[in-house]
PDB file of all heavy atoms in Angstrom:
ATOM      1  N   ASP A  39       3.801 -33.254 -60.195  1.00 98.00           N
ATOM      2  CA  ASP A  39       3.708 -32.518 -61.460  1.00 98.00           C
ATOM      3  C   ASP A  39       5.027 -31.747 -61.659  1.00 98.00           C
ATOM      4  O   ASP A  39       5.396 -30.931 -60.800  1.00 98.00           O
ATOM      5  CB  ASP A  39       2.510 -31.538 -61.353  1.00 98.00           C
ATOM      6  CG  ASP A  39       2.348 -30.685 -62.605  1.00 98.00           C
ATOM      7  OD1 ASP A  39       3.196 -30.774 -63.514  1.00 98.00           O
ATOM      8  OD2 ASP A  39       1.353 -29.923 -62.648  1.00 98.00           O
ATOM      9  N   LYS A  42       5.432 -28.110 -60.773  1.00 98.00           N
ATOM     10  CA  LYS A  42       5.605 -27.658 -59.389  1.00 98.00           C
ATOM     11  C   LYS A  42       7.080 -27.295 -59.135  1.00 98.00           C
ATOM     12  O   LYS A  42       7.365 -26.255 -58.527  1.00 98.00           O
ATOM     13  CB  LYS A  42       5.148 -28.736 -58.398  1.00 98.00           C
ATOM     14  CG  LYS A  42       5.421 -28.337 -56.956  1.00 98.00           C
ATOM     15  CD  LYS A  42       4.855 -29.276 -55.934  1.00 98.00           C
ATOM     16  CE  LYS A  42       5.316 -28.871 -54.549  1.00 98.00           C
ATOM     17  NZ  LYS A  42       4.902 -29.792 -53.505  1.00 98.00           N
ATOM     18  N   GLY A  46       6.636 -23.676 -59.616  1.00 98.00           N
ATOM     19  CA  GLY A  46       6.231 -23.430 -58.226  1.00 98.00           C
ATOM     20  C   GLY A  46       7.429 -23.184 -57.322  1.00 98.00           C
ATOM     21  O   GLY A  46       7.397 -22.341 -56.423  1.00 98.00           O
ATOM     22  N   GLU A  95      27.339 -24.723 -42.692  1.00 98.00           N
ATOM     23  CA  GLU A  95      26.469 -25.342 -41.691  1.00 98.00           C
ATOM     24  C   GLU A  95      26.486 -26.850 -41.863  1.00 98.00           C
ATOM     25  O   GLU A  95      25.730 -27.566 -41.216  1.00 98.00           O
ATOM     26  CB  GLU A  95      25.045 -24.793 -41.788  1.00 98.00           C
ATOM     27  CG  GLU A  95      24.394 -24.943 -43.133  1.00 98.00           C
ATOM     28  CD  GLU A  95      22.974 -24.414 -43.134  1.00 98.00           C
ATOM     29  OE1 GLU A  95      22.129 -25.012 -42.471  1.00 98.00           O
ATOM     30  OE2 GLU A  95      22.736 -23.383 -43.797  1.00 98.00           O
ATOM     31  N   ALA A 126      23.522 -20.937 -40.005  1.00 98.00           N
ATOM     32  CA  ALA A 126      22.754 -21.389 -41.163  1.00 98.00           C
ATOM     33  C   ALA A 126      23.281 -20.688 -42.430  1.00 98.00           C
ATOM     34  O   ALA A 126      24.486 -20.500 -42.572  1.00 98.00           O
ATOM     35  CB  ALA A 126      21.263 -21.180 -40.921  1.00 98.00           C
ATOM     36  N   CYS A 127      22.377 -20.288 -43.316  1.00 98.00           N
ATOM     37  CA  CYS A 127      22.836 -19.727 -44.600  1.00 98.00           C
ATOM     38  C   CYS A 127      23.420 -18.323 -44.458  1.00 98.00           C
ATOM     39  O   CYS A 127      23.959 -17.778 -45.422  1.00 98.00           O
ATOM     40  CB  CYS A 127      21.694 -19.694 -45.608  1.00 98.00           C
ATOM     41  SG  CYS A 127      21.043 -21.313 -45.931  1.00 98.00           S
ATOM     42  N   TYR A 159      18.285 -32.964 -47.471  1.00 98.00           N
ATOM     43  CA  TYR A 159      17.108 -33.063 -46.597  1.00 98.00           C
ATOM     44  C   TYR A 159      16.638 -34.502 -46.449  1.00 98.00           C
ATOM     45  O   TYR A 159      15.780 -34.790 -45.630  1.00 98.00           O
ATOM     46  CB  TYR A 159      15.959 -32.230 -47.167  1.00 98.00           C
ATOM     47  CG  TYR A 159      16.191 -30.722 -47.119  1.00 98.00           C
ATOM     48  CD1 TYR A 159      16.855 -30.064 -48.134  1.00 98.00           C
ATOM     49  CD2 TYR A 159      15.724 -29.968 -46.049  1.00 98.00           C
ATOM     50  CE1 TYR A 159      17.060 -28.694 -48.103  1.00 98.00           C
ATOM     51  CE2 TYR A 159      15.913 -28.595 -46.006  1.00 98.00           C
ATOM     52  CZ  TYR A 159      16.586 -27.964 -47.039  1.00 98.00           C
ATOM     53  OH  TYR A 159      16.776 -26.608 -46.990  1.00 98.00           O
ATOM     54  N   GLY A 164      10.216 -33.589 -47.758  1.00 96.00           N
ATOM     55  CA  GLY A 164       9.598 -32.378 -48.301  1.00 96.00           C
ATOM     56  C   GLY A 164      10.617 -31.423 -48.890  1.00 96.00           C
ATOM     57  O   GLY A 164      10.351 -30.706 -49.855  1.00 96.00           O
ATOM     58  N   THR A 168      14.698 -28.985 -52.892  1.00 98.00           N
ATOM     59  CA  THR A 168      15.466 -27.755 -52.626  1.00 98.00           C
ATOM     60  C   THR A 168      16.887 -28.076 -52.149  1.00 98.00           C
ATOM     61  O   THR A 168      17.513 -27.266 -51.481  1.00 98.00           O
ATOM     62  CB  THR A 168      14.730 -26.849 -51.608  1.00 98.00           C
ATOM     63  OG1 THR A 168      14.530 -27.576 -50.384  1.00 98.00           O
ATOM     64  CG2 THR A 168      13.376 -26.402 -52.123  1.00 98.00           C
ATOM     65  N   PHE A 201      13.999 -23.894 -39.270  1.00 97.00           N
ATOM     66  CA  PHE A 201      14.934 -24.841 -39.878  1.00 97.00           C
ATOM     67  C   PHE A 201      16.121 -24.870 -38.952  1.00 97.00           C
ATOM     68  O   PHE A 201      16.688 -23.822 -38.641  1.00 97.00           O
ATOM     69  CB  PHE A 201      15.312 -24.323 -41.272  1.00 97.00           C
ATOM     70  CG  PHE A 201      16.496 -24.981 -41.928  1.00 97.00           C
ATOM     71  CD1 PHE A 201      16.327 -25.755 -43.068  1.00 97.00           C
ATOM     72  CD2 PHE A 201      17.789 -24.802 -41.445  1.00 97.00           C
ATOM     73  CE1 PHE A 201      17.420 -26.346 -43.705  1.00 97.00           C
ATOM     74  CE2 PHE A 201      18.877 -25.385 -42.065  1.00 97.00           C
ATOM     75  CZ  PHE A 201      18.686 -26.158 -43.199  1.00 97.00           C
ATOM     76  N   SER A 217       9.289 -21.423 -42.541  1.00 98.00           N
ATOM     77  CA  SER A 217      10.564 -20.953 -43.114  1.00 98.00           C
ATOM     78  C   SER A 217      10.308 -19.941 -44.234  1.00 98.00           C
ATOM     79  O   SER A 217      11.026 -18.941 -44.348  1.00 98.00           O
ATOM     80  CB  SER A 217      11.422 -22.123 -43.604  1.00 98.00           C
ATOM     81  OG  SER A 217      10.947 -22.655 -44.821  1.00 98.00           O
ATOM     82  N   LYS A 218       9.268 -20.188 -45.036  1.00 98.00           N
ATOM     83  CA  LYS A 218       8.960 -19.237 -46.120  1.00 98.00           C
ATOM     84  C   LYS A 218       8.533 -17.896 -45.518  1.00 98.00           C
ATOM     85  O   LYS A 218       8.937 -16.832 -45.963  1.00 98.00           O
ATOM     86  CB  LYS A 218       7.827 -19.780 -47.003  1.00 98.00           C
ATOM     87  CG  LYS A 218       8.220 -20.996 -47.812  1.00 98.00           C
ATOM     88  CD  LYS A 218       7.275 -21.221 -48.980  1.00 98.00           C
ATOM     89  CE  LYS A 218       6.111 -22.095 -48.640  1.00 98.00           C
ATOM     90  NZ  LYS A 218       5.284 -22.517 -49.765  1.00 98.00           N
ATOM     91  N   HIS A 249      19.270 -14.315 -50.956  1.00 98.00           N
ATOM     92  CA  HIS A 249      19.575 -15.711 -50.614  1.00 98.00           C
ATOM     93  C   HIS A 249      18.566 -16.574 -51.378  1.00 98.00           C
ATOM     94  O   HIS A 249      17.378 -16.236 -51.440  1.00 98.00           O
ATOM     95  CB  HIS A 249      19.443 -15.926 -49.100  1.00 98.00           C
ATOM     96  CG  HIS A 249      19.401 -17.374 -48.737  1.00 98.00           C
ATOM     97  ND1 HIS A 249      20.398 -18.252 -49.097  1.00 98.00           N
ATOM     98  CD2 HIS A 249      18.463 -18.121 -48.083  1.00 98.00           C
ATOM     99  CE1 HIS A 249      20.088 -19.465 -48.674  1.00 98.00           C
ATOM    100  NE2 HIS A 249      18.917 -19.415 -48.059  1.00 98.00           N
ATOM    101  N   PRO A 251      17.102 -20.174 -51.462  1.00 98.00           N
ATOM    102  CA  PRO A 251      16.840 -21.579 -51.109  1.00 98.00           C
ATOM    103  C   PRO A 251      16.203 -22.287 -52.296  1.00 98.00           C
ATOM    104  O   PRO A 251      16.404 -23.475 -52.512  1.00 98.00           O
ATOM    105  CB  PRO A 251      15.872 -21.484 -49.933  1.00 98.00           C
ATOM    106  CG  PRO A 251      15.251 -20.127 -50.019  1.00 98.00           C
ATOM    107  CD  PRO A 251      16.254 -19.241 -50.703  1.00 98.00           C
ATOM    108  N   TYR A 252      15.428 -21.543 -53.070  1.00 98.00           N
ATOM    109  CA  TYR A 252      14.921 -21.939 -54.391  1.00 98.00           C
ATOM    110  C   TYR A 252      14.501 -20.627 -55.046  1.00 98.00           C
ATOM    111  O   TYR A 252      14.175 -19.651 -54.361  1.00 98.00           O
ATOM    112  CB  TYR A 252      13.761 -22.960 -54.304  1.00 98.00           C
ATOM    113  CG  TYR A 252      12.631 -22.570 -53.394  1.00 98.00           C
ATOM    114  CD1 TYR A 252      11.491 -21.943 -53.899  1.00 98.00           C
ATOM    115  CD2 TYR A 252      12.694 -22.807 -52.031  1.00 98.00           C
ATOM    116  CE1 TYR A 252      10.446 -21.577 -53.068  1.00 98.00           C
ATOM    117  CE2 TYR A 252      11.651 -22.435 -51.192  1.00 98.00           C
ATOM    118  CZ  TYR A 252      10.538 -21.820 -51.711  1.00 98.00           C
ATOM    119  OH  TYR A 252       9.515 -21.439 -50.884  1.00 98.00           O
ATOM    120  N   LYS A 254      12.111 -19.289 -56.671  1.00 98.00           N
ATOM    121  CA  LYS A 254      10.805 -18.624 -56.576  1.00 98.00           C
ATOM    122  C   LYS A 254      10.705 -17.733 -55.332  1.00 98.00           C
ATOM    123  O   LYS A 254       9.978 -16.729 -55.342  1.00 98.00           O
ATOM    124  CB  LYS A 254       9.733 -19.723 -56.537  1.00 98.00           C
ATOM    125  CG  LYS A 254       8.309 -19.271 -56.344  1.00 98.00           C
ATOM    126  CD  LYS A 254       7.652 -18.847 -57.643  1.00 98.00           C
ATOM    127  CE  LYS A 254       6.178 -18.539 -57.437  1.00 98.00           C
ATOM    128  NZ  LYS A 254       5.364 -19.744 -57.164  1.00 98.00           N
ATOM    129  N   LYS A 258       9.279 -13.899 -54.809  1.00 98.00           N
ATOM    130  CA  LYS A 258       8.109 -13.586 -53.965  1.00 98.00           C
ATOM    131  C   LYS A 258       8.410 -12.430 -53.008  1.00 98.00           C
ATOM    132  O   LYS A 258       7.538 -11.612 -52.714  1.00 98.00           O
ATOM    133  CB  LYS A 258       7.726 -14.819 -53.139  1.00 98.00           C
ATOM    134  CG  LYS A 258       6.798 -15.759 -53.860  1.00 98.00           C
ATOM    135  CD  LYS A 258       6.490 -16.963 -52.997  1.00 98.00           C
ATOM    136  CE  LYS A 258       5.237 -16.797 -52.198  1.00 98.00           C
ATOM    137  NZ  LYS A 258       4.041 -17.294 -52.868  1.00 98.00           N
ATOM    138  N   ASN A 291      20.049 -25.163 -53.682  1.00 98.00           N
ATOM    139  CA  ASN A 291      20.471 -24.397 -52.506  1.00 98.00           C
ATOM    140  C   ASN A 291      21.876 -24.824 -52.092  1.00 98.00           C
ATOM    141  O   ASN A 291      22.125 -26.020 -51.901  1.00 98.00           O
ATOM    142  CB  ASN A 291      19.479 -24.650 -51.347  1.00 98.00           C
ATOM    143  CG  ASN A 291      19.659 -23.658 -50.200  1.00 98.00           C
ATOM    144  OD1 ASN A 291      20.566 -22.821 -50.216  1.00 98.00           O
ATOM    145  ND2 ASN A 291      18.789 -23.748 -49.205  1.00 98.00           N
ATOM    146  N   GLY A 323      19.530 -16.494 -42.938  1.00 98.00           N
ATOM    147  CA  GLY A 323      19.925 -17.784 -42.376  1.00 98.00           C
ATOM    148  C   GLY A 323      18.890 -18.194 -41.362  1.00 98.00           C
ATOM    149  O   GLY A 323      18.623 -17.470 -40.395  1.00 98.00           O
ATOM    150  N   SER A 324      18.277 -19.344 -41.583  1.00 98.00           N
ATOM    151  CA  SER A 324      17.221 -19.816 -40.693  1.00 98.00           C
ATOM    152  C   SER A 324      17.676 -19.812 -39.248  1.00 98.00           C
ATOM    153  O   SER A 324      18.857 -19.967 -38.947  1.00 98.00           O
ATOM    154  CB  SER A 324      16.825 -21.241 -41.080  1.00 98.00           C
ATOM    155  OG  SER A 324      16.018 -21.206 -42.228  1.00 98.00           O
TER     156      SER A 324
HETATM  157  P1  HMG B 523       5.953 -28.179 -50.552  1.00 53.87           P
HETATM  158  O1  HMG B 523       4.971 -28.501 -49.504  1.00 53.87           O
HETATM  159  O2  HMG B 523       6.556 -29.286 -51.355  1.00 53.87           O
HETATM  160  O3  HMG B 523       5.396 -27.218 -51.646  1.00 53.87           O
HETATM  161  O4  HMG B 523       7.128 -27.364 -49.835  1.00 53.87           O
HETATM  162  P2  HMG B 523       4.268 -26.099 -51.557  1.00 53.87           P
HETATM  163  O5  HMG B 523       2.938 -26.741 -51.446  1.00 53.87           O
HETATM  164  O6  HMG B 523       4.672 -25.035 -50.563  1.00 53.87           O
HETATM  165  O7  HMG B 523       4.401 -25.563 -53.049  1.00 53.87           O
HETATM  166  C1  HMG B 523       5.500 -24.822 -53.447  1.00 53.87           C
HETATM  167  C2  HMG B 523       5.014 -23.854 -54.514  1.00 53.87           C
HETATM  168  O8  HMG B 523       4.720 -24.599 -55.708  1.00 53.87           O
HETATM  169  C3  HMG B 523       3.733 -23.130 -54.129  1.00 53.87           C
HETATM  170  O9  HMG B 523       3.843 -21.814 -54.601  1.00 53.87           O
HETATM  171  C4  HMG B 523       2.667 -23.880 -54.922  1.00 53.87           C
HETATM  172  O10 HMG B 523       1.525 -23.094 -55.212  1.00 53.87           O
HETATM  173  C5  HMG B 523       3.423 -24.221 -56.188  1.00 53.87           C
HETATM  174  P3  HMG B 523       3.814 -20.585 -53.540  1.00 53.87           P
HETATM  175  O11 HMG B 523       2.542 -20.666 -52.820  1.00 53.87           O
HETATM  176  O12 HMG B 523       5.010 -20.794 -52.608  1.00 53.87           O
HETATM  177  O13 HMG B 523       3.965 -19.398 -54.419  1.00 53.87           O
HETATM  178  N1  HMG B 523       2.884 -25.361 -56.934  1.00 53.87           N
HETATM  179  C6  HMG B 523       2.782 -25.397 -58.272  1.00 53.87           C
HETATM  180  N2  HMG B 523       3.092 -24.487 -59.218  1.00 53.87           N
HETATM  181  C7  HMG B 523       2.885 -24.835 -60.528  1.00 53.87           C
HETATM  182  N3  HMG B 523       2.346 -26.030 -60.896  1.00 53.87           N
HETATM  183  C8  HMG B 523       2.007 -26.949 -59.988  1.00 53.87           C
HETATM  184  C9  HMG B 523       2.221 -26.651 -58.603  1.00 53.87           C
HETATM  185  N4  HMG B 523       2.010 -27.332 -57.446  1.00 53.87           N
HETATM  186  C10 HMG B 523       2.417 -26.526 -56.440  1.00 53.87           C
HETATM  187  N5  HMG B 523       1.491 -28.125 -60.359  1.00 53.87           N
HETATM  188  C11 HMG B 523       9.133 -26.136 -49.498  1.00 53.87           C
HETATM  189  C12 HMG B 523       8.038 -26.490 -50.477  1.00 53.87           C
HETATM  190  C13 HMG B 523      10.062 -25.119 -50.142  1.00 53.87           C
HETATM  191  C14 HMG B 523       8.548 -25.548 -48.236  1.00 53.87           C
HETATM  192  C15 HMG B 523       9.929 -27.436 -49.160  1.00 53.87           C
HETATM  193  O14 HMG B 523      10.581 -27.905 -50.304  1.00 53.87           O
HETATM  194  C16 HMG B 523      10.916 -27.240 -48.038  1.00 53.87           C
HETATM  195  O15 HMG B 523      10.605 -27.421 -46.869  1.00 53.87           O
HETATM  196  N6  HMG B 523      12.224 -26.872 -48.377  1.00 53.87           N
HETATM  197  C17 HMG B 523      13.230 -26.612 -47.382  1.00 53.87           C
HETATM  198  C18 HMG B 523      13.004 -25.313 -46.622  1.00 53.87           C
HETATM  199  C19 HMG B 523      13.183 -24.081 -47.480  1.00 53.87           C
HETATM  200  O16 HMG B 523      13.829 -24.103 -48.516  1.00 53.87           O
HETATM  201  N7  HMG B 523      12.669 -22.946 -47.003  1.00 53.87           N
HETATM  202  C20 HMG B 523      12.876 -21.667 -47.665  1.00 53.87           C
HETATM  203  C21 HMG B 523      13.020 -20.509 -46.689  1.00 53.87           C
HETATM  204  S1  HMG B 523      14.145 -20.854 -45.369  1.00 53.87           S
HETATM  205  C22 HMG B 523      15.722 -20.460 -45.994  1.00 53.87           C
HETATM  206  O17 HMG B 523      15.848 -19.846 -46.989  1.00 53.87           O
HETATM  207  C23 HMG B 523      16.886 -20.972 -45.219  1.00 53.87           C
HETATM  208  C24 HMG B 523      17.536 -22.237 -45.761  1.00 53.87           C
HETATM  209  O18 HMG B 523      18.292 -21.917 -46.895  1.00 53.87           O
HETATM  210  C25 HMG B 523      18.377 -22.893 -44.675  1.00 53.87           C
HETATM  211  C26 HMG B 523      19.433 -22.071 -43.959  1.00 53.87           C
HETATM  212  O19 HMG B 523      19.316 -20.902 -43.670  1.00 53.87           O
HETATM  213  O20 HMG B 523      20.419 -22.716 -43.601  1.00 53.87           O
HETATM  214  C27 HMG B 523      16.520 -23.270 -46.180  1.00 53.87           C
END
Side-chain angles (χ1 to χ4, degrees):
D39 178 355
K42 175 173 174 185
E95 57 178 293
C127 300
Y159 291 87
T168 59
F201 166 113
S217 76
K218 292 199 270 189
H249 166 56
Y252 52 96
K254 176 84 174 290
K258 273 179 94 91
N291 193 356
S324 283

